[in-house]
């Protein structure tokens, strides 16, 4: 199955532009979320370099953000760039569990492979990717048990319909 970012843009925009005044757009080197302003009368999720995985990750952060955060650039979140210490990496991973769980749900909804992102290639230590994936996996199972939140569910259903993916089950999520 091929995954063209243009398909994802169409699926997202068809699902959310009218109801949330938000569009997914192709960007350059760095992803960013920009709320509506004087220049654009809609909110923009801008993903990096045409990477499908980047779009999924940025969408997942949008799905986590509540109404107030969606009015702030990059949702008002802090971001410590690559090269984090072990302590800062631990804090980074804590706030990334939920968005990466949503990302995994959305990736599987598209039949797209998912890999957790520790996002610390130049740090002074090697993050425990498998341990982090286990935490994200536990979060996915909790979300599936409690019910997928509305925006994630809406996009998941639209993607599963487009890509002809069966309904998601807990067994589809494997830690590797």
């Amino acid at each position: 199955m091929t995954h063209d970012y243009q398909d994802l843009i169409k699926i997202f925009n068809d699902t959310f532009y009218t109801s949330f005044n938000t569009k997914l757009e192709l960007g350059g080197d760095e992803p960013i979320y920009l709320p509506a302003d004087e220049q654009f009368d809609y909110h923009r999720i801008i993903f990096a370099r045409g990477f499908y995985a980047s779009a999924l990750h940025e969408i997942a952060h949008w799905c986590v953000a509540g109404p107030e955060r969606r009015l702030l650039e990059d949702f008002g979140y802090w971001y410590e760039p690559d090269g984090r210490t072990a302590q800062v990496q631990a804090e980074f991973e804590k706030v990334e569990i939920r968005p990466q769980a949503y990302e995994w749900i959305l990736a599987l909804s598209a039949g797209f492979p998912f890999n957790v992102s520790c996002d610390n290639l130049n740090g002074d230590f090697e993050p425990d990717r498998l341990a982090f994936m286990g935490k994200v996996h536990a979060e996915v199972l909790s979300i599936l048990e409690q019910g997928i939140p509305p925006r994630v569910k809406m996009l998941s259903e639209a993607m599963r319909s487009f890509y002809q993916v069966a309904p998601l089950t807990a067994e589809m999520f494997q830690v590797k």
Side-chain angles (χ1 to χ4, degrees):
M1 176 183 315
T2 58
H3 291 89
D4 187 322
Y5 72 83
Q6 293 174 348
D7 293 332
L8 184 54
I9 288 173
K10 180 168 180 16
I11 294 165
F12 182 91
N13 294 348
D14 287 352
T15 304
F16 295 116
Y17 178 59
T18 301
S19 55
F20 286 90
N21 194 37
T22 303
K23 287 185 178 182
L24 179 64
E25 297 182 351
L26 172 63
D29 289 339
E30 292 297 324
I32 190 167
Y33 172 79
L34 298 170
D37 57 21
E38 308 81 37
Q39 193 175 7
F40 292 90
D41 64 352
Y42 58 91
H43 311 296
R44 296 176 292 148
I45 301 169
I46 302 171
F47 65 100
R49 296 181 232 132
F51 294 142
Y52 197 94
S54 173
L56 289 177
H57 187 78
E58 297 312 310
I59 291 167
H61 276 285
W62 178 80
C63 288
V64 170
E68 297 82 20
R69 288 232 182 237
R70 292 194 308 268
L71 297 176
L72 304 172
E73 184 174 318
D74 266 349
F75 314 110
Y77 295 133
W78 67 273
Y79 179 74
E80 184 78 25
D82 189 351
R84 294 181 286 275
T85 65
Q87 180 181 355
V88 174
Q89 181 68 21
E91 290 301 313
F92 171 82
E93 289 180 8
K94 277 187 209 173
V95 300
E96 278 290 313
I97 291 171
R98 170 78 36 150
Q100 292 203 31
Y102 287 176
E103 182 182 348
W104 199 351
I105 290 167
L106 295 173
L108 262 59
S109 297
F112 188 77
F114 171 78
N115 292 297
V116 293
S117 174
C118 295
D119 197 23
N120 198 30
L121 300 174
N122 297 314
D124 59 0
F125 74 103
E126 182 68 31
D128 188 340
R129 187 188 157 288
L130 199 54
F132 181 52
M133 183 129 187
K135 292 173 186 175
V136 173
H137 182 257
E139 185 73 9
V140 167
L141 297 181
S142 175
I143 291 166
L144 293 176
E145 185 177 302
Q146 294 173 8
I148 299 174
R151 284 178 288 150
V152 180
K153 185 175 182 179
M154 289 169 66
L155 188 55
S156 172
E157 289 173 353
M159 293 170 77
R160 286 189 312 97
S161 175
F162 183 87
Y163 290 106
Q164 299 298 294
V165 172
L168 303 180
T169 64
E171 296 74 31
M172 295 169 82
F173 296 87
Q174 299 294 316
V175 176
K176 297 177 190 174

PDB file of all heavy atoms in Angstrom, residues 135-151:
ATOM      1  N   LYS A 135       5.578   1.959  27.155  1.00  0.00           N
ATOM      2  CA  LYS A 135       4.708   2.966  27.782  1.00  0.00           C
ATOM      3  C   LYS A 135       3.654   3.469  26.792  1.00  0.00           C
ATOM      4  O   LYS A 135       2.487   3.654  27.149  1.00  0.00           O
ATOM      5  CB  LYS A 135       5.538   4.133  28.310  1.00  0.00           C
ATOM      6  CG  LYS A 135       6.431   3.755  29.480  1.00  0.00           C
ATOM      7  CD  LYS A 135       7.347   4.897  29.863  1.00  0.00           C
ATOM      8  CE  LYS A 135       8.326   4.450  30.940  1.00  0.00           C
ATOM      9  NZ  LYS A 135       9.314   5.496  31.247  1.00  0.00           N
ATOM     10  N   VAL A 136       4.071   3.682  25.563  1.00  0.00           N
ATOM     11  CA  VAL A 136       3.136   4.131  24.534  1.00  0.00           C
ATOM     12  C   VAL A 136       2.109   3.030  24.265  1.00  0.00           C
ATOM     13  O   VAL A 136       0.908   3.295  24.136  1.00  0.00           O
ATOM     14  CB  VAL A 136       3.886   4.546  23.242  1.00  0.00           C
ATOM     15  CG1 VAL A 136       2.907   4.857  22.118  1.00  0.00           C
ATOM     16  CG2 VAL A 136       4.789   5.742  23.511  1.00  0.00           C
ATOM     17  N   HIS A 137       2.561   1.793  24.233  1.00  0.00           N
ATOM     18  CA  HIS A 137       1.671   0.651  24.021  1.00  0.00           C
ATOM     19  C   HIS A 137       0.623   0.564  25.128  1.00  0.00           C
ATOM     20  O   HIS A 137      -0.577   0.375  24.855  1.00  0.00           O
ATOM     21  CB  HIS A 137       2.497  -0.644  23.952  1.00  0.00           C
ATOM     22  CG  HIS A 137       1.672  -1.856  23.692  1.00  0.00           C
ATOM     23  ND1 HIS A 137       1.346  -2.756  24.692  1.00  0.00           N
ATOM     24  CD2 HIS A 137       1.110  -2.336  22.553  1.00  0.00           C
ATOM     25  CE1 HIS A 137       0.620  -3.732  24.180  1.00  0.00           C
ATOM     26  NE2 HIS A 137       0.464  -3.496  22.883  1.00  0.00           N
ATOM     27  N   ALA A 138       1.058   0.711  26.370  1.00  0.00           N
ATOM     28  CA  ALA A 138       0.113   0.683  27.498  1.00  0.00           C
ATOM     29  C   ALA A 138      -0.928   1.790  27.355  1.00  0.00           C
ATOM     30  O   ALA A 138      -2.116   1.589  27.656  1.00  0.00           O
ATOM     31  CB  ALA A 138       0.874   0.807  28.817  1.00  0.00           C
ATOM     32  N   GLU A 139      -0.495   2.954  26.890  1.00  0.00           N
ATOM     33  CA  GLU A 139      -1.419   4.083  26.682  1.00  0.00           C
ATOM     34  C   GLU A 139      -2.419   3.755  25.572  1.00  0.00           C
ATOM     35  O   GLU A 139      -3.610   4.056  25.700  1.00  0.00           O
ATOM     36  CB  GLU A 139      -0.630   5.352  26.354  1.00  0.00           C
ATOM     37  CG  GLU A 139      -1.472   6.585  26.243  1.00  0.00           C
ATOM     38  CD  GLU A 139      -1.993   7.108  27.564  1.00  0.00           C
ATOM     39  OE1 GLU A 139      -1.576   6.630  28.637  1.00  0.00           O
ATOM     40  OE2 GLU A 139      -2.845   8.015  27.527  1.00  0.00           O
ATOM     41  N   VAL A 140      -1.957   3.148  24.488  1.00  0.00           N
ATOM     42  CA  VAL A 140      -2.863   2.754  23.403  1.00  0.00           C
ATOM     43  C   VAL A 140      -3.923   1.800  23.932  1.00  0.00           C
ATOM     44  O   VAL A 140      -5.123   1.972  23.659  1.00  0.00           O
ATOM     45  CB  VAL A 140      -2.092   2.102  22.229  1.00  0.00           C
ATOM     46  CG1 VAL A 140      -3.050   1.414  21.258  1.00  0.00           C
ATOM     47  CG2 VAL A 140      -1.255   3.127  21.488  1.00  0.00           C
ATOM     48  N   LEU A 141      -3.509   0.798  24.687  1.00  0.00           N
ATOM     49  CA  LEU A 141      -4.468  -0.174  25.212  1.00  0.00           C
ATOM     50  C   LEU A 141      -5.487   0.496  26.124  1.00  0.00           C
ATOM     51  O   LEU A 141      -6.686   0.179  26.083  1.00  0.00           O
ATOM     52  CB  LEU A 141      -3.739  -1.302  25.941  1.00  0.00           C
ATOM     53  CG  LEU A 141      -2.802  -2.154  25.079  1.00  0.00           C
ATOM     54  CD1 LEU A 141      -2.159  -3.263  25.899  1.00  0.00           C
ATOM     55  CD2 LEU A 141      -3.520  -2.716  23.856  1.00  0.00           C
ATOM     56  N   SER A 142      -5.042   1.443  26.938  1.00  0.00           N
ATOM     57  CA  SER A 142      -5.943   2.192  27.809  1.00  0.00           C
ATOM     58  C   SER A 142      -6.941   3.002  26.986  1.00  0.00           C
ATOM     59  O   SER A 142      -8.141   3.045  27.291  1.00  0.00           O
ATOM     60  CB  SER A 142      -5.123   3.105  28.718  1.00  0.00           C
ATOM     61  OG  SER A 142      -5.962   3.918  29.496  1.00  0.00           O
ATOM     62  N   ILE A 143      -6.461   3.654  25.944  1.00  0.00           N
ATOM     63  CA  ILE A 143      -7.330   4.448  25.071  1.00  0.00           C
ATOM     64  C   ILE A 143      -8.366   3.553  24.399  1.00  0.00           C
ATOM     65  O   ILE A 143      -9.556   3.897  24.341  1.00  0.00           O
ATOM     66  CB  ILE A 143      -6.495   5.206  24.013  1.00  0.00           C
ATOM     67  CG1 ILE A 143      -5.673   6.303  24.684  1.00  0.00           C
ATOM     68  CG2 ILE A 143      -7.383   5.779  22.911  1.00  0.00           C
ATOM     69  CD1 ILE A 143      -4.569   6.880  23.801  1.00  0.00           C
ATOM     70  N   LEU A 144      -7.947   2.411  23.901  1.00  0.00           N
ATOM     71  CA  LEU A 144      -8.878   1.492  23.244  1.00  0.00           C
ATOM     72  C   LEU A 144      -9.934   1.004  24.229  1.00  0.00           C
ATOM     73  O   LEU A 144     -11.110   0.855  23.879  1.00  0.00           O
ATOM     74  CB  LEU A 144      -8.127   0.308  22.627  1.00  0.00           C
ATOM     75  CG  LEU A 144      -7.208   0.628  21.452  1.00  0.00           C
ATOM     76  CD1 LEU A 144      -6.470  -0.625  21.007  1.00  0.00           C
ATOM     77  CD2 LEU A 144      -7.973   1.258  20.295  1.00  0.00           C
ATOM     78  N   GLU A 145      -9.530   0.761  25.462  1.00  0.00           N
ATOM     79  CA  GLU A 145     -10.458   0.274  26.493  1.00  0.00           C
ATOM     80  C   GLU A 145     -11.451   1.362  26.903  1.00  0.00           C
ATOM     81  O   GLU A 145     -12.641   1.100  27.073  1.00  0.00           O
ATOM     82  CB  GLU A 145      -9.667  -0.197  27.709  1.00  0.00           C
ATOM     83  CG  GLU A 145     -10.520  -0.838  28.788  1.00  0.00           C
ATOM     84  CD  GLU A 145      -9.674  -1.337  29.933  1.00  0.00           C
ATOM     85  OE1 GLU A 145      -8.778  -2.162  29.689  1.00  0.00           O
ATOM     86  OE2 GLU A 145      -9.911  -0.892  31.075  1.00  0.00           O
ATOM     87  N   GLN A 146     -10.966   2.592  27.049  1.00  0.00           N
ATOM     88  CA  GLN A 146     -11.813   3.696  27.512  1.00  0.00           C
ATOM     89  C   GLN A 146     -12.633   4.321  26.387  1.00  0.00           C
ATOM     90  O   GLN A 146     -13.612   5.014  26.639  1.00  0.00           O
ATOM     91  CB  GLN A 146     -10.958   4.775  28.165  1.00  0.00           C
ATOM     92  CG  GLN A 146     -10.295   4.319  29.442  1.00  0.00           C
ATOM     93  CD  GLN A 146      -9.325   5.353  29.985  1.00  0.00           C
ATOM     94  OE1 GLN A 146      -9.249   6.479  29.497  1.00  0.00           O
ATOM     95  NE2 GLN A 146      -8.570   4.970  30.995  1.00  0.00           N
ATOM     96  N   GLY A 147     -12.209   4.119  25.159  1.00  0.00           N
ATOM     97  CA  GLY A 147     -12.877   4.723  24.009  1.00  0.00           C
ATOM     98  C   GLY A 147     -11.974   5.772  23.377  1.00  0.00           C
ATOM     99  O   GLY A 147     -11.421   6.617  24.078  1.00  0.00           O
ATOM    100  N   ILE A 148     -11.821   5.700  22.087  1.00  0.00           N
ATOM    101  CA  ILE A 148     -10.950   6.628  21.354  1.00  0.00           C
ATOM    102  C   ILE A 148     -11.585   8.020  21.390  1.00  0.00           C
ATOM    103  O   ILE A 148     -12.773   8.170  21.086  1.00  0.00           O
ATOM    104  CB  ILE A 148     -10.737   6.148  19.905  1.00  0.00           C
ATOM    105  CG1 ILE A 148     -10.062   4.755  19.897  1.00  0.00           C
ATOM    106  CG2 ILE A 148      -9.913   7.140  19.114  1.00  0.00           C
ATOM    107  CD1 ILE A 148      -9.945   4.129  18.523  1.00  0.00           C
ATOM    108  N   PRO A 149     -10.814   9.040  21.761  1.00  0.00           N
ATOM    109  CA  PRO A 149     -11.354  10.415  21.799  1.00  0.00           C
ATOM    110  C   PRO A 149     -11.919  10.840  20.438  1.00  0.00           C
ATOM    111  O   PRO A 149     -11.467  10.371  19.384  1.00  0.00           O
ATOM    112  CB  PRO A 149     -10.140  11.268  22.185  1.00  0.00           C
ATOM    113  CG  PRO A 149      -9.236  10.319  22.896  1.00  0.00           C
ATOM    114  CD  PRO A 149      -9.427   8.993  22.206  1.00  0.00           C
ATOM    115  N   PRO A 150     -12.891  11.757  20.451  1.00  0.00           N
ATOM    116  CA  PRO A 150     -13.641  12.083  19.224  1.00  0.00           C
ATOM    117  C   PRO A 150     -12.815  12.449  17.999  1.00  0.00           C
ATOM    118  O   PRO A 150     -13.060  11.906  16.913  1.00  0.00           O
ATOM    119  CB  PRO A 150     -14.527  13.259  19.654  1.00  0.00           C
ATOM    120  CG  PRO A 150     -14.709  13.066  21.125  1.00  0.00           C
ATOM    121  CD  PRO A 150     -13.423  12.463  21.618  1.00  0.00           C
ATOM    122  N   ARG A 151     -11.848  13.370  18.113  1.00  0.00           N
ATOM    123  CA  ARG A 151     -11.100  13.766  16.910  1.00  0.00           C
ATOM    124  C   ARG A 151     -10.256  12.623  16.386  1.00  0.00           C
ATOM    125  O   ARG A 151     -10.139  12.424  15.172  1.00  0.00           O
ATOM    126  CB  ARG A 151     -10.240  15.011  17.180  1.00  0.00           C
ATOM    127  CG  ARG A 151     -11.072  16.287  17.216  1.00  0.00           C
ATOM    128  CD  ARG A 151     -10.257  17.509  17.524  1.00  0.00           C
ATOM    129  NE  ARG A 151      -9.857  17.488  18.929  1.00  0.00           N
ATOM    130  CZ  ARG A 151      -8.754  18.011  19.407  1.00  0.00           C
ATOM    131  NH1 ARG A 151      -7.891  18.614  18.611  1.00  0.00           N
ATOM    132  NH2 ARG A 151      -8.491  17.953  20.692  1.00  0.00           N
TER     133      ARG A 151
END
